[in-house]
Amino acid sequence: MSNHTTLPTRRRLARGPLPVLGAAVLWGTTGTASSLAPDGAHAAAVGAAGLTLGGLLLFLTGRGSLTLVRAADTRTRWALALGALAVAGYPLSFYPAVDRAGVAVATVITLGSAPVFSGLLVWWAERTRPTRRWSVATLAAVVGCAVLVFGSKAGGANGDAAGVLLALAAGASYALYAVIAGSLIRRGHASGAVMGTLFAGGGLLTLPVLLSAGAAWLATTSGALVALHLAVLTVFVAYRLFGMGLRHTPASVATTLTLAEPAVAALLGVLVVGERLSALSWAGMAVLALGLAVLRAPERRR
């Protein structure tokens, strides 16, 4: 009896929450990787380079991407266009936020605000009231993120109002394309085709930013490695996993699960960059993990 009920639960976790958490771990490397870009690289150009190359890889390897674009009805095409615009808005706001507010603060604000935005979007678009479980888990995760921010500031991290606003814009952009992608995937479209189309469109929209800001830094060894890391791991692989998870996980839940990213970013800051976390930061990380555990735990059925 125990094994019979455990196996379906494990399958649900492997198809839904676990791919989303895997994507969050990869996204957690974004801030650290972008901070290693050459000094002459503009923050928005770094994000645009990763998105352009990664979006192209997603589109070329996504089965049915061309079919989705050609055969889509008017409603689907509008959704794809809006989703591509949201995808483009994320790196153009997130990477400048990292540059102005710092890796930890920008990451935490972006990912902490995304579940709130996504819950409101789903409530408005689908008239679906957020569940009590999602509300409790999201509240715990957001509180954990806030404590992590205060702990970072206590440790000497800096940030300005513009950086905070840019991070909030990135959170709204992330929530919007997550809701759109999840809706399209649950309507029966292949996750690879949806993510490939959205990110190829977002890459095309950000390409002028890359060209205007200058791409000479890509010719350097560090610049090329940073761009490849962002394109292959944080875009191509991560969004493949995210698309798989969205097929079996609501967007509001998925965006809350990705609050694991700030914890990964903070740990990388300690292990790679040599930053120190205060006791308050570690406490915030524990509260954040508790919120994720509430969402990840399987529901009991009567």
Side-chain angles (χ1 to χ4, degrees):
M1 177 67 71
S2 176
N3 290 336
H4 178 74
T5 56
T6 301
L7 285 176
T9 298
R10 289 178 178 175
R11 289 172 183 171
R12 286 196 299 271
L13 290 173
R15 290 186 303 177
L18 290 184
V20 174
L21 286 173
V25 170
L26 292 175
W27 290 332
T29 68
T30 301
T32 300
S34 63
S35 68
L36 300 176
D39 293 335
H42 192 278
V46 173
L51 177 57
T52 300
L53 179 57
L56 180 62
L57 290 173
L58 280 172
F59 186 78
L60 293 177
T61 58
R63 293 182 179 180
S65 296
L66 285 174
T67 303
L68 176 61
V69 175
R70 292 173 178 172
D73 55 24
T74 302
R75 178 187 174 190
T76 301
R77 287 181 178 176
W78 276 109
L80 290 171
L82 182 59
L85 187 63
V87 167
Y90 180 80
L92 296 183
S93 52
F94 175 72
Y95 289 94
V98 169
D99 187 52
R100 298 183 70 104
V103 174
V105 173
T107 302
V108 169
I109 292 175
T110 298
L111 273 298
S113 63
V116 178
F117 285 126
S118 65
L120 294 175
L121 284 170
V122 171
W123 194 356
W124 174 75
E126 301 179 9
R127 300 295 188 270
T128 303
R129 186 185 296 272
T131 64
R132 182 179 300 177
R133 181 175 182 173
W134 175 87
S135 301
V136 171
T138 299
L139 178 61
V142 171
V143 168
C145 285
V147 174
L148 185 56
V149 169
F150 289 128
S152 299
K153 285 187 173 293
N158 296 318
D160 58 9
V164 172
L165 290 176
L166 286 168
L168 288 173
S173 297
Y174 169 49
L176 180 57
Y177 73 70
V179 169
I180 291 174
S183 176
L184 291 173
I185 291 170
R186 286 192 298 274
R187 280 165 51 188
H189 299 293
S191 60
V194 171
M195 302 309 286
T197 303
L198 290 180
F199 278 80
L204 288 176
L205 290 173
T206 58
L207 183 58
V209 175
L210 173 61
L211 297 178
S212 62
W217 59 275
L218 287 170
T220 65
T221 301
S222 60
L225 289 176
V226 167
L228 285 174
H229 176 90
L230 295 176
V232 176
L233 294 181
T234 69
V235 176
F236 177 67
V237 177
Y239 282 101
R240 271 297 180 86
L241 291 173
F242 191 58
M244 291 168 54
L246 282 177
R247 182 169 293 279
H248 304 281
T249 307
S252 57
V253 174
T255 50
T256 300
L257 287 170
T258 55
L259 285 171
E261 179 181 342
V264 175
L267 289 175
L268 284 176
V270 172
L271 298 175
V272 178
V273 183
E275 297 177 350
R276 292 185 178 182
L277 290 179
S278 64
L280 191 60
S281 293
W282 287 112
M285 202 176 300
V287 175
L288 191 155
L290 178 62
L292 295 177
V294 171
L295 272 185
R296 187 178 179 277
E299 295 184 0
R300 293 182 179 180
R301 295 186 178 182
R302 295 181 181 180

